Amino acid sequence: MKLSEHLSIAEFSRSDTAKRKGIDNTPKGEHLEAAKFLAEKVFEPVRTHFGKPIFISSGYRSAELNKAIGGAATSQHSKGEAIDIDMDGHGGPSNTEIYNYIKDNVDFDQLIWEFGDDTKPDWVHVSYKKTGAQRGEILRARRNSAGKTYYEKIK
């Protein structure tokens, strides 16, 4: 089954951890509906613009999977509202190109330059809420000297 022309539910919910632990990670109900909005409003414009497959390193995370990986309780991944894109090693556009295209051309709730350096993020996190106004919030994820993640607000 497909969320949009170029994004399947299997691709959106793929998780090695879920497979290993026997966790059903299929979005249902409101999470599935939110995933369809995310696919249409964010994923498809990116895929269409670059004309190449876009690799999602993390999409939907059921509550059980999110807990198993130590994800934040408020993660938009668990609502079907977020994807992480990582094009490293997959050919096509770079993570920086993906980030800049989304920032300049796509409506979103949050856009995060995930770690990396000043020229390239390790991956790009983007979210889109099914209901309510999109915040258009732009952040950069970093780690402090103790290895704890924190976010700097860019916009």
Side-chain angles (χ1 to χ4, degrees), residues 13-23 25 57 65 69:
S13 60
R14 178 186 60 241
S15 167
D16 291 340
T17 301
K19 282 182 196 170
R20 207 171 34 255
K21 294 184 175 267
I23 297 170
N25 195 48
S57 58
L65 175 60
I69 66 165

Side-chain angles (χ1 to χ4, degrees), residues 27-98:
K28 297 171 184 75
E30 65 186 15
H31 298 162
L32 180 59
E33 291 305 311
K36 289 177 182 178
F37 269 82
L38 173 67
E40 287 298 330
K41 301 293 186 177
V42 176
F43 182 86
E44 282 301 324
V46 171
R47 172 65 171 83
T48 300
H49 173 75
F50 289 105
K52 299 203 180 245
I54 302 299
F55 181 76
I56 295 175
S57 58
S58 182
Y60 180 68
R61 296 181 202 148
S62 66
E64 186 178 359
L65 175 60
N66 196 53
K67 184 177 180 182
I69 66 165
T74 58
S75 173
Q76 287 183 285
H77 285 280
S78 293
K79 298 174 184 176
E81 296 178 343
I83 53 175
D84 293 341
I85 298 171
D86 186 1
M87 294 301 292
D88 288 351
H90 293 280
S94 69
N95 290 341
T96 304
E97 290 171 309
I98 296 282

